[in-house]
Amino acid sequence: MVGDTPPGLDPAQPPGHPLGTMITPFIYLSGFTRGFSPASLVWDIPSASSSLHNPDGKYHGPLRLRLALANDYLPPAENLLDQVGMEAFWQISHQLGIFTEDHPAIDNISALMEDTPSTLLALSRAYGAIANQGVLVGLGAPSNPTNSSQSTQAISWLRLEDYSGKIWKESPPPQIKPVVSPQLAYLVTHILSDEPARWPSLGHPNPLEVGRPFAVKLGLTTAQQEVWGIGATPTLTLGAWMGIKDAPASAKLSPLEVAAILHAMVQYAHRDLPPQDWLKPPGISHLTVCDPSGLLPTPECPVTVNEIFLSGNEPTHADNLYRRLQVNRETGLLATVFTPPELIEERTYLMLPAEAEGWARLSGLPIPPKAYDVLPADLASSPEVQITAPTMFSYVSGKVSIRGSATGSRFQRYRLQIGQGPNPRQWLQIGQDSTQAVTNGELGVWDTRGLNGLFALQLLVIYTDQRVESDVIQVTVDNQPPTLKIISPSQGQQFAPNERNILIQAQANDNLSLSRLEFYIDQRQIATLTLAPFLTYWRGQPGAHTLRVLAIDAAGNATSSEINFSVR
């Protein structure tokens, strides 16, 4: 506790210093309470609604949450805070005693970084509680109703001895207070002690590699004139802060400077202690997942990793971030039944949301094609031989009514047949040949149950003069309903009367194309969302309530999930 401290002011007490990026682990911790995991997919891409930039000046695309936290990438933290809400963050931060007062006007990550000061002692204590399996230790103090952690105060000294070893004064016995579950604390500690996860931003080797498990976080303010470093082993927590006083704007600090201080501190403080790792608490599981989606691996997944989860929160569906597509190698368009077979090739693409395509182009990544090879105009079918429903490139499921026209001079009969893939090698007939001409009516019914994927649907009309005319369309058969999980609220959750904006959040995926999620509370629709993250807020009303979420894919398949909660 040395440095430029005004006379009479304890440097361990307020006003403190801006937290900068030291707040991000607590944002992610609040996300873990809402169903996120170290494997969750986050996007580090530019946003028109944000002015935040990463310390390295780059964007890194899709990432596991683990890498976003370990490397201090800010757009993912901002997006996660938007998803879980400020209320969840304040609850966690107050439990850990990061702040000495409430900041009700703070509602965004930039303000959290620059306008919410803390002290080195308070912040080290909060990180120490995470390293201590979620247990906060301190001295008894009068309870503060706005900050539950203030029922204990940080211990800044243990005892006072004279030169002969005589004890003049001792600190009272500490109070022990669990504030975060051991499982949630372990998720954070596991990420912050992951040395390879830090390599993209710090390089290898770097000062934070100290020869023993070391859960550490470096922090930087926006102006880069103040840096923090707090690290912990299972035995000790160490913290350091550095700042530049009255310096020009061009003067900058690097997190590596405070990292060098931490390196010396941890080596000296542990010089007589053997290396020790954190014990994994019950309720933590390991699973191999696809990187970076955090979902179950598929043959298209280029990299798999072993990740940790809260038991029961493991992914249950396959990766959908990488997909193998058949394309026309000359045009780059999606292959169809009209594509010459010799031009069709398979390519694996990273499937990007619309908001990430700009980043992908700047990064030189191939953009998955969206347009299809279509029938040349000079080969288009006549109005007398035509399939009008389903439409070209549509999604279908179940029993499909095929409509159109099969008629003309010297009409004899017509036939419907299907083939799988963009260039079918064999065709299967639907029903029997029909000798009844049809004009703008039903040609037949195709039972697609049990089928999935890309199919060609063909109409053949045979005439008495041996002419054969045809029409063919490409459709996607999808009989697999979406997967759906309600993240928040949890079943039976009770909300306090003052919780007015209640977070409603769900996760959904589909094997082909998810159309929308519909949210209902007490049978009244409150939102329809078409893009992830699937979350909304509901103004809480006292009483018991039922939340029902409906996930619908492009073919009309639907999955429903329902939970009950209440507001006191």
Side-chain angles (χ1 to χ4, degrees), residues 352-376:
L352 300 164
E355 59 269 25
E357 289 185 2
W359 162 82
R361 288 190 178 93
L362 291 175
S363 302
L365 290 180
I367 305 298
K370 297 179 181 178
Y372 291 86
D373 261 359
V374 295
L375 181 68

Side-chain angles (χ1 to χ4, degrees), residues 41-45 59-64 290-295 298 300-303 319-325 327 334 346-361 363-370:
L41 174 66
V42 296
W43 289 89
D44 184 21
I45 55 177
Y59 294 97
H60 307 86
L63 300 162
R64 281 177 293 135
C290 183
D291 182 42
S293 72
L295 302 177
T298 66
E300 291 76 30
C301 178
V303 178
D319 172 73
N320 56 7
L321 197 59
Y322 289 95
R323 190 174 298 174
R324 184 178 294 127
L325 303 177
V327 299
L334 290 168
E346 289 190 340
R347 299 176 183 173
T348 298
Y349 288 93
L350 177 66
M351 307 305 291
L352 300 164
E355 59 269 25
E357 289 185 2
W359 162 82
R361 288 190 178 93
S363 302
L365 290 180
I367 305 298
K370 297 179 181 178

Side-chain angles (χ1 to χ4, degrees), residues 116-360:
T116 53
S118 187
T119 66
L120 181 58
L121 190 58
L123 192 59
S124 297
R125 181 180 180 231
Y127 274 88
I130 299 298
N132 195 31
Q133 296 184 317
V135 176
L136 195 69
V137 179
L139 298 177
S143 178
N144 182 344
T146 65
N147 192 338
S148 60
S149 75
Q150 295 304 302
S151 59
T152 60
Q153 293 179 343
I155 300 172
S156 57
W157 60 276
L158 298 180
R159 67 179 179 269
L160 181 63
E161 298 178 356
D162 66 13
Y163 69 96
S164 67
K166 180 181 178 181
I167 297 175
W168 286 9
K169 190 173 183 180
E170 283 191 288
S171 176
Q175 291 187 350
I176 297 175
K177 181 181 180 182
V179 291
V180 175
S181 75
Q183 293 78 18
L184 292 172
Y186 184 80
L187 295 183
V188 177
T189 304
H190 197 273
I191 294 173
L192 296 183
S193 61
D194 186 345
E195 290 186 355
R198 299 192 288 257
W199 291 350
S201 58
L202 296 182
H204 173 62
N206 62 70
L208 299 183
E209 296 171 1
V210 297
R212 65 175 64 235
F214 189 37
V216 61
K217 177 68 174 66
L218 303 180
L220 186 68
T221 57
T222 303
Q224 298 184 24
Q225 294 193 337
E226 297 183 59
V227 291
W228 297 80
I230 298 180
T233 67
T235 307
L236 296 171
T237 299
L238 310 100
W241 171 92
M242 297 175 66
I244 306 176
K245 180 184 178 183
D246 300 329
S250 59
K252 308 289 185 185
L253 284 173
S254 166
L256 288 176
E257 296 179 78
V258 78
I261 293 177
L262 284 182
H263 181 97
M265 291 172 67
V266 70
Q267 295 287 34
Y268 179 80
H270 292 78
R271 63 194 183 281
D272 298 323
L273 299 175
Q276 183 182 351
D277 204 349
W278 283 269
L279 296 176
K280 183 176 71 174
I284 296 292
S285 63
H286 290 255
L287 186 67
T288 299
V289 297
C290 183
D291 182 42
S293 72
L295 302 177
L296 300 179
T298 66
E300 291 76 30
C301 178
V303 178
T304 61
V305 295
N306 188 267
E307 262 296 4
I308 63 170
F309 299 86
L310 298 180
S311 296
N313 198 35
E314 303 88 348
T316 57
H317 46 272
D319 172 73
N320 56 7
L321 197 59
Y322 289 95
R323 190 174 298 174
R324 184 178 294 127
L325 303 177
Q326 291 184 317
V327 299
N328 182 326
R329 69 166 181 266
E330 291 189 351
T331 65
L333 300 176
L334 290 168
T336 68
V337 69
F338 312 117
T339 307
E342 65 273 14
L343 298 182
I344 297 177
E345 69 178 24
E346 289 190 340
R347 299 176 183 173
T348 298
Y349 288 93
L350 177 66
M351 307 305 291
L352 300 164
E355 59 269 25
E357 289 185 2
W359 162 82

Side-chain angles (χ1 to χ4, degrees), residues 52-102:
L52 281 181
H53 302 285
N54 287 319
D56 63 3
K58 302 176 183 178
Y59 294 97
H60 307 86
L63 300 162
R64 281 177 293 135
L65 183 153
R66 172 183 295 274
L67 295 178
L69 171 54
N71 294 283
D72 233 2
Y73 298 148
L74 294 177
E78 181 177 32
N79 293 335
L80 187 70
L81 183 61
D82 289 341
Q83 293 180 54
V84 302
M86 289 295 299
E87 187 174 329
F89 169 80
W90 286 125
Q91 183 178 359
I92 288 290
S93 61
H94 287 158
Q95 287 174 341
L96 291 167
I98 301 171
F99 305 113
T100 56
E101 58 184 45
D102 285 331

Side-chain angles (χ1 to χ4, degrees), residues 415-455:
R415 176 183 304 166
L416 291 169
Q417 56 188 23
I418 59 167
Q420 189 165 13
N423 192 41
R425 296 184 178 180
Q426 62 177 356
W427 295 87
L428 300 176
Q429 185 169 343
I430 299 174
Q432 303 295 321
D433 287 1
S434 175
T435 58
Q436 182 67 45
V438 176
T439 302
N440 296 326
E442 186 174 79
L443 299 168
V445 176
W446 176 22
D447 189 351
T448 71
R449 290 176 296 181
L451 302 178
N452 281 286
L454 192 66
F455 282 82

